Amino acid sequence: MENHEKFMQSAIALSEKNLKTLHGGPFGCVIVRDGKVLSAESNSVTLDCDPTAHAEINAIRAAAKKIGKADLSGCTLYTSAEPCPMCVSAIYWANITEVYYGNTKRDAEWAGFGDQFIFDELQNKSEEQSVTFTRLCASDAIKAFERWTKMSREAKGDVKEGSR
């Protein structure tokens, strides 16, 4: 547990540092693999004018670039606060299966960083959500997916010339 606490303290230190720079909210994240830090990032929403520049997203991006692939299997993520829905999704997409956090969602709500409304919205059917989602140009959009799947099959040798 000693190493876990060391890495969590690094994430917390990044959140504290943001109080001095005001580059974003007080959030920090460290990603570790095999006991070595791959990335250590803080929230940079304000600095980057980017609502997706959460500490976890920044750390995932930096770690993936460092190892040269998007799959962060075998990595552990330490974050100063329980991840928001966007960050949870990114953690799943990155194949990270172990996350340690400091502050809870309730603590974040108390500090003015509540995201429960997003979790609540995602429980609703898409037609009941406050954001309107409308499908458009489906027959054109599918062409890129068709080409992608064909390229994937050809790369595996699954497709003969002229077949779909």
Side-chain angles (χ1 to χ4, degrees), residues 53-124:
H54 291 197
E56 297 91 337
I57 300 294
N58 290 342
I60 288 169
R61 288 174 179 159
K65 283 183 182 177
K66 185 169 187 172
I67 67 169
K69 62 181 183 174
D71 186 349
L72 298 178
S73 295
C75 291
T76 302
L77 187 143
Y78 300 85
T79 181
S80 61
E82 196 170 356
C84 76
M86 175 183 67
C87 293
V88 168
S89 296
I91 289 164
Y92 274 97
W93 279 112
N95 296 313
I96 296 170
T97 59
E98 189 173 28
V99 175
Y100 293 88
Y101 63 91
N103 293 313
T104 66
K105 293 176 198 172
R106 197 168 296 160
D107 297 331
E109 179 84 34
W110 171 81
F113 298 100
D115 56 17
Q116 186 59 46
F117 74 99
I118 299 171
F119 283 105
D120 293 343
E121 277 286 302
L122 294 174
Q123 296 301 311
N124 295 331

Side-chain angles (χ1 to χ4, degrees), residues 15 18-19 21-27 43-47 113:
S15 73
N18 252 13
L19 293 174
T21 65
L22 298 178
H23 289 168
F27 301 95
N43 178 299
S44 62
V45 167
T46 306
L47 175 69
F113 298 100

